[in-house]
Amino acid sequence: GVGNALPSAKQVKLDKESELRIEVAENSPLRLRLLTGSAEIFGTEIPPEIWLTVPPRVKFAVFTWYGATIEMDGATETDYTADETPMISYVNVHAVLEARRNRAKASSSSNPDSSQGPRVIVVGPTDSGKSTVSRMLLSWAAKQGWKPTFVDLDIGQGSITIPGCIAATPIEMPIDPVEGISLDMPLVYYYGHTTPSVNVELYKVLVKELSQMLERQFVGNSESRAAGMVINTMGWIEGTGYELLLHAIDAFNADVILVLGQEKLCSMLKEVLKRKPTVDVVKLQRSGGVVSRNAKYRQKSRSYRIREYFYGLANDLSPHSNVANFSDLSVYRIGGGPQAPRSALPIGAEPAADPTRVVPVNISQDMLHLVLAVSFAKEPDQIISSNVAGFIYITDVDVQRRKITYLAPSAGELPNRILIIGSLAWLET
Ligand code: ADP
């Protein structure tokens, strides 16, 4: 036998406070294990000796505080070690947050202000490492026994659920370096598009809804109140994107703003938040390891995210193909349609589209290959204020027989007949 000598395996020795940066190959996974010392992947310690299998295309780093030897087996796009990282400054932020959590926990839970832990919002351009910093802060906190709430406002490349959504979930354990955030029962609102400019007003309304829902949940839960939140945002920081950042900071009452690698954004935020002395704006260095992803890569990862929802990360789920009558389902679109009948408007005025109007939609061939959300709303007028139970994927529309075929994570009836449609599509690959 070949024993332990893997032909393609390679060992890498890491000095203290350095990292091994890896881009896994396009078509094959990479196996990796820790041989000596200790190391972490984005804030989560990796267990000694055990092989981890990292899926194709993943870009990540194995960082060590005290030194480690890593063994890897498989093809990579790139792999190199770096000893210049901003990790010390990131862990310093963690220490400050930790102190605030302890202070919140020690304070009487009857005082809503002093018992509130840090509410951190991470902002910066795309590919500045926002998601990665969010993840590290959450994993370090979870390692110390906190259950911070992760809020992801990135409808393009979010890490809690499929694209087109904003979502929140408590993080109870350091985030698994391979599997990511476990998808059980996050609080999800469906926006339905992957860019906010499609319906800025709706995006804002949903952000507000999510923040208010979390606020209500925190009232009865001093533990998660004290642990605080980490809020990840989109990379849109100019014009309307900047306005949306200010809106999110306000909606969630954020008190720590981490700005990744952008002097201009940082000073703009410092300037407007001067009148709020309780808000800290902190500039953080962007890691040299952060990889820029082009539009095609982003599109691909959105598609993989949807696939993962139905089939699981390792093809380990079995979604169900279901058939329903048109009459069993009620589909709604948010936005569009005239706000008021022409007759109710002053002469000469054009009816404006109301961005938050809920409009019933007839089931048609146009829905083929779209991803729809299953709302928890009891009535159509509750759709905007309701979170969603999950998603279905339309695979066939038979207009003659008035039957629609869809893929759902499980068999049986949907939890609700009210569905939300947007522009989110998926071509099963
Ligand atoms: P943003 O959220 O700002 O768009 P991300 O945090 O998603 O940026 O980072 C972009 C990409 O770079 C991701 O694929 C991430 O895994 C990768 N990445 C981040 N930090 C490092 C690092 N130190 N080494 C290697 N890859 C990294």
Side-chain angles (χ1 to χ4, degrees), residues 41-121:
I41 296 178
F42 296 155
T44 302
E45 271 195 78
I46 54 177
E49 293 293 333
I50 297 168
W51 284 104
L52 301 177
T53 304
V54 187
R57 291 173 309 275
V58 172
K59 306 167 196 319
F60 70 109
V62 185
F63 177 85
T64 179
W65 292 106
Y66 305 108
T69 314
I70 307 294
E71 185 171 27
M72 50 183 193
D73 172 31
T76 63
E77 202 68 40
T78 48
D79 59 271
Y80 66 98
T81 58
D83 52 13
E84 260 179 54
T85 76
M87 292 294 278
I88 300 266
S89 60
Y90 294 175
V91 86
N92 284 340
V93 169
H94 165 70
V96 171
L97 301 179
E98 201 60 12
R100 292 196 185 180
R101 291 184 182 112
N102 283 318
R103 214 187 312 146
K105 192 179 174 185
S107 110
S108 102
S109 57
S110 55
N111 182 335
D113 284 331
S114 60
S115 64
Q116 173 61 58
R119 296 184 169 193
V120 185
I121 187 164

Side-chain angles (χ1 to χ4, degrees), residues 400-422:
Q400 240 87 69
R401 291 170 52 237
R402 298 182 61 77
K403 290 207 185 283
I404 184 164
T405 311
Y406 62 87
L407 202 64
S410 57
E413 236 175 89
L414 294 173
N416 195 359
R417 57 176 289 146
I418 296 186
L419 305 178
I420 312 170
I421 191 169

